[in-house]
Amino acid sequence: MGAMFRSEDMALCQLFIQPESAYLSISELGETGTVQFRDLNGDVNYFQRKFVNEVRRCDELDRKLRYIEAEVRKDGVPIEENLTELPRAPNPRAIIDLEAHLEKTENDILELSHNAVNLKSNYLELTELRHVLEKTQVFFTEEEAHDSITRALITEEQLQPSTTATSRGRLEFVAGVINRERVPAFERMLWRISRGNVFLRQAELDKPLEDPATGNQMYKTAFVAFFQGEQLKSRIKKVCAGFHASLYPCPNSHAEREEMVKGVRARLEDLNLVLNQTQDHRQRVLHNVAKELPNWTIMVRKMKAIYHTMNLFNMDVSKKCLIGECWVPIADLTVVQNCLSEGSRQCGGSIPSFLNVIHTDEDPPTFNRTNKFTKGFQNLIDAYGVASYREANPALYTIITFPFLFAIMFGDAGHGIIMTLFAMFMVLREKQLSAKKIDNEIWNIFFGGRYIILLMGFFSMYTGIIYNDFFSKPINVFGSSWRVNYNKSTIATNDVLQLDPAKEFYTQTPYPMGLDPVWMISTNKIIFLNSYKMKLSIIFGVIHMIFGVCMSVTNYVHFKKYSSLFLEFLPQLIFLVVLFFYMVLLMFIKWIKYDAHDKVFETSPTCAPSVLITFINMMLFNKHADMPDKCSEYMFTGQRELQQSFLYIALVCIPIMLFGKPIAFLFKKKSPGKIYVQSYDTVSIPLLAQSNGTPPQDIELQSEGFQNAPPKNEGAAAVTSPAQASHEEEEAFGEVMIHQAIHTIEYVLSTVSHTASYLRLWALSLAHGQLSEVLWQMVLRKGLGAEDGNYYGSLMLFLTFGAWAFFTIAILVMMEGLSAFLHTLRLHWVEFMSKFYVGQGYPFQPFCFKAIMDSEALGADE
């Protein structure tokens, strides 16, 4: 947990790697995920870099894998997504074998797909022909009957002119199938081109047909178009071609059609047998491919990532060494050292790689080591802004303060139990749930913050016990300290009775834990809880802000800004303490001094002054004019003088905050004519690549120089002229003055607004409790009238309990929980972190295969 207090010490390193061992060395670094590489070829076009051809080879392999995966998924073959152990990147010599294997696999699947499409196309044509012959049989029967009538008429009228006989010649036809949705338009087009001289008969196919190319279902209709004349026949065929209708030959005689149907059915049976055998062979091939497909995909992606990284490197002048730059946590320098030596050992190189740690004035990236428990809290802070390098990390304290402030607003033990059980389910089964890789965005948000939800549930159970609130009902564990002294007749004839704390309060000892349950059933519960929760919110808010101000000390000490301790931290702390922490102390003094059992009138609750009015009068130098007789507006002797002193001290703190740093900056002005020379050296750490394979010795590195780093130009001297120095100092003084004025005004005004902002703890807690009580009274209580033998009442109780449970989870737990979560987030981002947190850093993003795989999987799901 201590590693989260401040980000890791980072070092900028230069890697000198031999080309033959670069691939294996970077592969080892990708497995460990310890370095963030910098692009040394930013001014070079990507297509002109050294390893662009290797990246293209990986792209081609990736294309083949996508095609193979698409074919596997199209046939419904399962792919093992969750590998127990991820394969490593293949050796350069194994890449050729992998390319050849993927090439052969792609060609085999292409050939199988092509053959399957051809067979399915033949099967589709034969199926359509069979349907045409079977469905249109009745059409030809009607046409043959029409021909027999025509021949009889010709026999009776054979004495008429020959032109009449010619006009009653035999009808011609065109038969085929067409997509069902095109039939209406097809029919209209035939009618228009023939002026109504085409007789179209159609019949829908009972079962859909499969498209050979896509596998989609097609609904088609068989048709026969009867007509006369060769010219009309040509037009009809053109229309059929335009509507993508398939035409099939159909004999004229019934016997020939029957014979063709038998032949088509026999060919369909044979073709169906061949299709089944082809599909079985395809399934066997795809099942074998599916077993290796995840490994191939990971290997290719790792290869591509390695070559992408190698394109960030530079070549030295002799073109015999690759030079790269990377950010490395100082604690992991030995790991990087071992990775480079292991890469050299695997390739059998004789020349060792070595590592240089260089000093730089560039801001390093921010790296906070986290685990599965702390990662969610760190993400909350990073969502506001990544911490500046080596700045104090608020996530460490957020682990406790965030769920606690949430619980003050949520504060119901019953709802806390529901939240805890849900979080426990995700925590206890996190391995199984992670392996499922659920792509639901809302679920992933909940699962990523499962430990945050768990702590919020625990703290909500605690505050629910303090509030004595369990699903809006009190729990009478320790009994009540209140005793009623009224007789039965008085209680029976009065709906509301006032209990006097001076008489009815049974004991002076505090209640063992939480609120007395009698408060939850009293009519003045809201009045009491308003005062109680409002004061609590102010107390916790002021303490939270004071803690935020004190956190700035760690930054000032670490960055050696000792003047800021006296010119910023102390005035800010004193200003906050003498005004708002003093108000908190008045609350405790009032609780302790004024007691209902006290016999002295001046210390009875009647004479208790309002803390808020006292604070306002203190700020305005007014007196409390509405106090009862014999009552003092002050709680103790000398309070008026003390308040005036505190106010004057607070006023003095403002000019100190405003002018302190600018004046200190003027005193630190360098004398004119002084020349400043700055330079730096590189620390060269060769890797001891020994022949026996023993790891090199640990690196001993002093990180002292990383805080105030000199310029980049090695060995150069930065000389500043007197005039130029004076101009820069005057400009810097103006910037410091403006910045300090803004910062002072913001802090002074924000102490008031931020203190008032913590009242949301009171408001949301009160709203949550009231909404829970309304839900109980309006929904569940209506179903509590079930009695023995009253089956209707039992049914109503069952239904109303279901409605109450649904609204409790949907509204009180989820919606109210989300509202309290967002308000808690705001209190940390604005009221707490603004006191010490800058958040202008950038995250450490190491070259890590696991992170690359996870990001690509997330992109594929989206």
Side-chain angles (χ1 to χ4, degrees), residues 384 391 541-542 544-553 555-556 568-569 572 576 743 746-747 750-755 758 827-838:
Y384 173 80
E391 184 180 17
V542 172
H544 199 215
M545 289 191 297
I546 291 177
F547 178 61
V549 173
C550 293
M551 278 299 301
S552 62
V553 175
N555 289 330
Y556 295 147
E568 282 192 276
F569 163 68
Q572 290 177 356
L576 196 58
H743 183 68
E746 180 186 9
Y747 179 80
S750 67
T751 52
V752 180
S753 62
H754 289 180
T755 304
Y758 278 95
L827 288 176
H828 280 79
W829 282 358
V830 179
E831 278 72 23
F832 172 61
M833 290 163 51
S834 63
K835 303 295 186 297
F836 67 97
Y837 189 67
V838 178

Side-chain angles (χ1 to χ4, degrees), residues 10 67 84 86 96 117 121 170 324 337 353 400 447 469-470 486 500 535 599 628 649-650 699 714 725 795 860:
M10 306 296 292
Y67 169 74
T84 56
L86 298 181
I96 300 176
V117 169
S121 298
R170 180 180 179 83
Q337 189 180 33
S353 302
I400 298 300
F447 186 73
D469 198 352
F470 188 86
Y486 298 108
D500 188 357
K535 289 182 172 63
K599 304 301 182 181
I649 292 173
I699 296 177
E714 183 177 358
L795 178 62

Side-chain angles (χ1 to χ4, degrees), residues 542-714:
V542 172
I543 294 175
H544 199 215
M545 289 191 297
I546 291 177
F547 178 61
V549 173
C550 293
M551 278 299 301
S552 62
V553 175
T554 61
N555 289 330
Y556 295 147
V557 173
H558 177 78
F559 294 113
K560 300 179 181 179
K561 299 179 179 179
Y562 300 114
S563 61
S564 297
L565 288 174
F566 303 98
L567 301 178
E568 282 192 276
F569 163 68
L570 281 180
Q572 290 177 356
L573 180 63
I574 293 173
F575 184 86
L576 196 58
V577 168
V578 299
L579 294 183
F580 296 96
F581 189 72
Y582 170 71
M583 181 175 61
V584 171
L585 292 179
L586 290 181
M587 296 178 187
F588 285 96
I589 294 173
K590 181 178 178 180
W591 284 339
I592 295 172
K593 182 176 181 179
Y594 297 94
D595 188 4
H597 292 80
D598 200 327
K599 304 301 182 181
V600 181
F601 179 75
E602 287 76 7
T603 56
S604 64
T606 306
C607 290
S610 170
V611 174
L612 179 61
I613 300 300
T614 300
F615 183 75
I616 294 175
N617 290 334
M618 167 187 170
M619 303 299 294
L620 300 178
F621 294 97
N622 289 339
K623 291 185 177 181
H624 202 304
D626 298 331
M627 295 297 296
D629 294 338
K630 299 183 180 181
C631 293
S632 174
E633 62 176 308
Y634 300 109
M635 299 182 188
F636 54 88
T637 305
Q639 180 180 354
R640 181 173 179 273
E641 291 76 14
L642 181 64
Q643 290 180 168
Q644 291 180 352
S645 301
F646 282 169
L647 188 58
Y648 291 138
I649 292 173
L651 293 176
V652 170
C653 291
I654 296 177
I656 295 177
M657 289 186 286
L658 179 60
F659 300 106
K661 287 190 71 175
I663 293 175
F665 178 82
L666 291 178
F667 278 111
K668 289 182 180 180
K669 288 179 63 175
K670 301 177 178 63
S671 58
K674 189 174 181 179
I675 299 178
Y676 314 103
V677 181
Q678 294 178 331
S679 62
Y680 72 99
D681 301 324
T682 45
V683 182
S684 179
I685 305 177
L687 299 183
L688 306 179
Q690 301 177 2
S691 58
N692 57 4
T694 57
Q697 300 297 323
D698 291 344
I699 296 177
E700 296 182 0
L701 180 65
Q702 308 234 350
S703 61
E704 227 174 83
F706 289 105
Q707 306 304 327
N708 301 315
K712 287 184 179 179
N713 46 342
E714 183 177 358

Side-chain angles (χ1 to χ4, degrees), residues 262-426:
K262 292 179 181 179
V264 169
R265 288 175 179 172
R267 291 174 60 190
L268 281 174
E269 292 178 359
D270 296 339
L271 191 57
N272 192 32
L273 180 62
V274 175
L275 275 173
N276 290 335
Q277 293 177 350
T278 304
Q279 184 63 23
D280 291 340
H281 177 62
R282 177 183 171 88
Q283 286 289 321
R284 288 193 296 270
V285 172
L286 293 181
H287 272 87
N288 293 332
V289 170
K291 295 178 182 178
E292 298 294 332
L293 186 60
N295 290 330
W296 292 342
T297 302
I298 293 173
M299 291 166 66
V300 170
R301 288 177 179 175
K302 286 186 176 182
M303 289 165 47
K304 187 176 180 180
I306 291 172
Y307 285 121
H308 268 299
T309 303
M310 292 173 67
N311 274 332
L312 305 179
F313 282 49
N314 242 336
M315 272 286 184
D316 68 337
V317 179
S318 62
K319 296 186 177 181
K320 293 182 180 180
C321 182
L322 284 175
I323 303 175
E325 288 186 3
C326 59
W327 291 107
V328 185
I330 292 180
D332 293 335
L333 282 174
T334 304
V335 177
V336 178
Q337 189 180 33
N338 293 335
C339 290
L340 295 180
S341 60
E342 179 64 18
S344 300
R345 185 192 64 80
Q346 290 181 8
C347 75
S350 59
I351 303 177
S353 302
F354 60 95
L355 168 73
N356 279 348
V357 179
I358 60 176
H359 293 181
T360 177
D361 59 350
E362 184 178 349
D363 292 331
T366 300
F367 175 47
N368 296 105
R369 292 188 190 271
T370 58
N371 51 37
K372 61 182 180 180
F373 175 75
T374 59
K375 184 177 180 181
F377 295 96
Q378 187 65 55
N379 289 338
L380 291 180
I381 303 302
D382 292 343
Y384 173 80
V386 179
S388 302
Y389 178 64
R390 300 291 290 163
E391 184 180 17
N393 184 17
L396 178 63
Y397 318 102
T398 304
I399 295 176
I400 298 300
T401 60
F402 190 91
F404 180 68
L405 293 182
F406 170 87
I408 293 176
M409 290 183 276
F410 198 66
D412 190 296
H415 301 156
I417 290 175
I418 296 176
M419 187 175 292
T420 302
L421 292 176
F422 175 63
M424 288 293 293
F425 164 75
M426 293 189 292

Side-chain angles (χ1 to χ4, degrees), residues 81 107 198 303 352 365 372 380 697 740 758 800 821 837 858:
E81 299 286 350
N107 292 335
V198 173
M303 289 165 47
K372 61 182 180 180
L380 291 180
Q697 300 297 323
Q740 200 62 23
Y758 278 95
T800 52
F821 179 89
Y837 189 67
L858 181 61

